Amino acid sequence: MQSASPSGGHFELTAVPAMAWQRTRAGIPAGALWSSLIVFLLVLTIARSTVAASWVPGLLDSLPMVALAGAVTMGVLALTPLPWWLSVLAGLLAGPAVAGLIAAPIFRADNVIDPTATGTNLINAWLTKVSDGSAFGDRAFVLFLITWLMWVTGAWLSWCVLRWRQPMIGLVPGTAALATNVLNFPGDQNGYTLSFIVLTFALLLWSNYTGSIAKAVRVNMKLMGDARWDFWETGVVAMAGLLLLAIMLPPLSNQDRTLTIQSSLFSSWAQLQEQLNHPSSAGQGTGTAGGTTGFSLSVGLGGPLKTSKNPGGRRITKKKVLPRRQHHGDRERLLDLPDLPR
């Protein structure tokens, strides 16, 4: 099918998608497509690992789509000229909304709630369960938190890689999620762990390469013909060595210390409150009154008051500073103060 142009020529309509793709490709920074592909694979690996961990059996199948949706959303915002705070705010607000939509049917099914109840009624009922502590054992609440975490994992990694060029910062939530899955549910996690390690090294290597090329372009540095190949040759060898170490070295721990750390913190805080709110015996004082650690409206004395026979007056000797040209000695003046009343 052909169409006439105003100048009398003609072109095929099938060339329009190709032209649009070329313009879109030209507007995207160099290396962003490959970076996006690695990010999507990493996010998918972390989400599939969480599904395999089965924190909420039978309810986590939507996590890969949620994580990819977060990565795509923040990836698009990262390539736009919008202010960073506006894009990050939009991503933060979208996370709880998506998690709430996915967890709402489970919450409605597990609790006796009118099927015609509005979203406001569901939120109020959920806040009531959170306030009395019963929500933490509810599978809908766990599903909400894990879904929100997957959204944050994909969105934060995509934003840090494509906008800030900081992949190490972007990997923090995903690494924590994968480590928690491996420590608590080690079964069926070997493939996801290996994929995560390989993709992480590939992302770091590619980010370093694109960053080096961008710096060379900014300073008008012309690269030699073998410079790119030397970089990849050295980088691949280093990546293979790190991958071998990651596989062969034993893990630092085979237990999840999260609950232990939380229990220790709560116990220490409870002991501190106990010491602040309850009296204890004085350590080094000679008085008979009990002491307290903290704040008190009244303070007990160490013993009864006694009358002293020492005189209340005193004599103060005050020296007068004279100029250097005077050679006679300093004079002293005695001030007599009246006796203070006893």
Side-chain angles (χ1 to χ4, degrees):
M1 181 177 180
Q2 297 180 350
S3 174
S5 63
S7 59
H10 62 274
F11 64 94
E12 295 182 358
L13 292 180
T14 55
V16 175
M19 295 175 58
W21 167 253
Q22 291 178 359
R23 292 179 180 178
T24 304
R25 178 66 180 86
I28 298 177
L33 291 179
W34 287 107
S35 299
S36 301
L37 178 60
I38 299 175
V39 166
F40 293 157
L41 292 177
L42 266 172
V43 169
L44 185 61
T45 300
I46 297 171
R48 295 299 302 172
S49 171
T50 307
V51 173
S54 187
W55 292 92
V56 185
L59 299 178
L60 301 179
D61 295 336
S62 61
L63 292 185
M65 295 303 300
V66 172
L68 289 177
V72 171
T73 301
M74 293 305 295
V76 172
L77 292 176
L79 299 177
T80 59
L82 294 176
W84 70 268
W85 60 268
L86 182 60
S87 301
V88 173
L89 180 61
L92 291 177
L93 294 179
V98 173
L101 290 176
I102 294 178
I106 307 302
F107 180 78
R108 190 190 299 270
D110 292 348
N111 299 273
V112 182
I113 298 178
D114 185 7
T116 61
T118 61
T120 305
N121 296 332
L122 290 176
I123 294 175
N124 293 333
W126 205 336
L127 292 178
T128 302
K129 293 176 69 67
V130 171
S131 61
D132 59 19
S134 60
F136 297 97
D138 194 349
R139 61 174 187 166
F141 185 76
V142 178
L143 176 62
F144 174 82
L145 293 180
I146 295 178
T147 305
W148 191 2
L149 175 61
M150 288 299 101
W151 175 274
V152 171
T153 298
W156 182 248
L157 179 59
S158 181
W159 175 264
C160 290
V161 171
L162 298 178
R163 184 66 173 263
W164 288 345
R165 304 294 191 271
Q166 297 292 336
M168 291 295 293
I169 300 177
L171 286 169
V172 172
T175 304
L178 183 70
T180 305
N181 296 334
V182 173
L183 291 177
N184 289 277
F185 302 94
D188 299 331
Q189 295 290 339
N190 293 333
Y192 299 118
T193 304
L194 180 61
S195 301
F196 177 80
I197 294 174
V198 173
L199 291 173
T200 298
F201 288 154
L203 178 61
L204 296 178
L205 185 61
W206 177 253
S207 299
N208 190 14
Y209 172 75
T210 54
S212 301
I213 296 298
K215 291 179 181 178
V217 172
R218 282 197 299 267
V219 298
N220 297 325
M221 180 184 298
K222 186 177 181 181
L223 299 177
M224 301 297 294
D226 297 336
R228 299 173 186 268
W229 172 249
D230 291 341
F231 176 87
W232 283 108
E233 184 179 7
T234 306
V236 170
V237 172
M239 175 180 171
L242 292 175
L243 182 61
L244 183 62
L245 289 177
I247 296 175
M248 299 301 296
L249 289 179
L252 296 178
S253 175
N254 55 4
Q255 295 181 358
D256 188 3
R257 303 292 183 180
T258 305
L259 297 178
T260 304
I261 295 175
Q262 291 178 354
S263 301
S264 177
L265 290 176
F266 287 129
S267 300
S268 301
W269 178 254
Q271 292 177 3
L272 178 61
Q273 293 294 323
E274 183 74 15
Q275 294 177 0
L276 293 177
N277 297 328
H278 293 78
S280 59
S281 58
Q284 302 294 335
T286 58
T288 58
T292 59
T293 303
F295 300 97
S296 177
L297 298 178
S298 60
V299 180
L301 297 176
L305 297 178
K306 297 181 180 180
T307 304
S308 175
K309 297 182 179 181
N310 296 331
R314 55 178 178 171
R315 299 175 68 85
I316 301 177
T317 302
K318 182 177 181 182
K319 293 184 178 181
K320 182 178 180 181
V321 180
L322 300 177
R324 291 185 178 181
R325 63 177 179 269
Q326 297 180 3
H327 300 285
H328 52 78
D330 295 344
R331 292 178 297 178
E332 295 183 354
R333 184 176 59 181
L334 300 180
L335 300 179
D336 293 331
L337 299 179
D339 293 342
L340 298 177
R342 298 181 181 178

